[in-house]
Amino acid sequence: MMTPTELALRLYAVQGLALEAGRMALDYFGRQESLGVTMKGDQDWLTVADGAVEDFLRRKLALIFPTDTIIGEEGGGEASDAVWIIDPIDGTSNFARGDRNWCISIGFLLNRVPTIGIVFAPAFEELYVAQRGQGATMNGKPITVSGGDDIRRAYVELGWSTRIPAERYVDLVARGFAAGSSMKRAASGALGLCHVANGRTDAYAELHINAWDVAAGIVIAGEAGASISDFFAGEGIAKGNAILCCTPALARQLGEITGIAVTAR
Ligand code: IPD
């Protein structure tokens, strides 16, 4: 159990942390020669900023909310009834190459329910905030999903990683185009969900994505009116899952195309 005051404290404190972490990351981004780029695996990028930003967020969250647990992309961690799930830089491949489409993603799950989502894209000065049941905003203004209801006009982002065999991804791209949708990949799952939330796209789908990439965006897109698959079912927190997030009117058709069922809204 958590009181509304305890939740509000988390929402506001973490917005401040996200802004501070964003400034830190933006400083690294402005000095591309300082990024110390290495690879964790094929197409899996790492920079010194990922570690520095995650360390900063871990230290501050542990200080302010000592009983909450933390799971981070770089440092791992344990789930609990009150867990922060953070990606210090989502869209690291973009970040490492000077492309501005990256963000800080901080989600909070209360009793396994996605409850707070904060995504900050410093290079665009866009701060997305949502709390379960309270709506979603971008830079303080309410956001809602597009009215997209026609697959032949739909704009769909399809996430990709080497965790899934290339053939399955290629097949999915082909099915999306064949159904008439326009498909893209912009390489930040967290921002992909936020862009469904503010109507820049109609859907985001990925055959496997990790919890730190989507924990915040699920709250933001859900509060903006999106239909979303049950990502945290089973071992979603520890092992990741498939995700489909889209306008309610496209849910059935995109569910058939992707093979990912969404919860009705
Ligand atoms: C990746 C991005 C990408 C998604 C991958 C993620 P990272 O995270 O979110 O858009 O398709 O599944 O691994 O490595 O940039 O933090």
Side-chain angles (χ1 to χ4, degrees):
M1 239 334 245
M2 210 168 256
T3 66
T5 307
E6 288 171 316
L7 272 178
L9 187 63
R10 281 167 174 74
L11 184 76
Y12 288 109
V14 173
Q15 281 181 62
L17 291 186
L19 292 174
E20 212 175 322
R23 274 194 295 273
M24 181 188 278
L26 198 55
D27 184 52
Y28 278 103
F29 186 67
R31 296 179 287 114
Q32 287 275 311
E33 71 289 350
S34 73
L35 292 185
V37 177
T38 51
M39 305 301 287
K40 294 190 276 186
D42 290 348
Q43 298 293 349
D44 196 0
W45 297 67
L46 182 67
T47 74
V48 294
D50 293 76
V53 172
E54 183 163 319
D55 284 353
F56 166 79
L57 289 172
R58 279 181 182 278
R59 271 189 289 109
K60 297 291 180 182
L61 285 170
L63 187 69
I64 313 173
F65 306 115
T67 56
D68 297 354
T69 62
I70 303 165
I71 295 175
E73 173 168 16
E74 311 309 336
E78 292 296 321
S80 71
D81 288 348
V83 57
W84 296 96
I85 304 185
I86 59 182
D87 191 342
I89 295 177
D90 184 57
T92 308
S93 58
N94 290 339
F95 183 84
R97 289 165 171 255
D99 181 318
R100 294 187 295 163
N101 202 62
W102 55 271
C103 64
I104 318 280
S105 174
I106 309 175
F108 180 67
L109 268 62
L110 185 62
N111 302 321
R112 296 183 67 89
V113 177
T115 301
I116 288 174
I118 293 169
V119 169
F120 182 40
F124 297 120
E125 295 186 8
E126 290 182 344
L127 175 68
Y128 298 85
V129 175
Q131 182 182 333
R132 188 176 159 80
Q134 313 273 311
T137 59
M138 187 186 87
N139 293 347
K141 298 203 177 77
I143 50 174
T144 56
V145 295
S146 77
D149 59 0
D150 180 353
I151 195 74
R152 287 160 305 169
R153 287 180 56 180
Y155 195 14
V156 176
E157 178 167 1
L158 192 56
W160 165 85
S161 80
T162 54
R163 296 183 297 274
I164 292 288
E167 301 71 37
R168 287 189 59 202
Y169 176 77
V170 172
D171 180 51
L172 193 43
V173 173
R175 276 185 280 145
F177 279 128
S181 64
S182 168
M183 314 281 282
K184 74 163 180 179
R185 172 178 184 259
S188 163
L191 282 179
L193 297 179
C194 290
H195 294 165
V196 178
N198 63 13
R200 288 181 189 160
T201 63
D202 302 302
Y204 183 90
E206 185 158 349
L207 294 169
H208 177 271
I209 193 162
N210 287 305
W212 44 80
D213 298 315
V214 297
I218 283 174
V219 187
I220 294 163
E223 286 300 313
S227 295
I228 311 176
S229 54
D230 190 3
F231 179 87
F232 289 105
E235 294 192 278
I237 294 184
K239 296 192 173 160
N241 212 338
I243 192 161
L244 172 59
C245 168
C246 60
T247 64
L250 289 169
R252 188 192 52 77
Q253 205 168 354
L254 283 172
E256 285 167 12
I257 291 169
T258 60
I260 308 167
V262 304
T263 314
R265 174 180 277 274

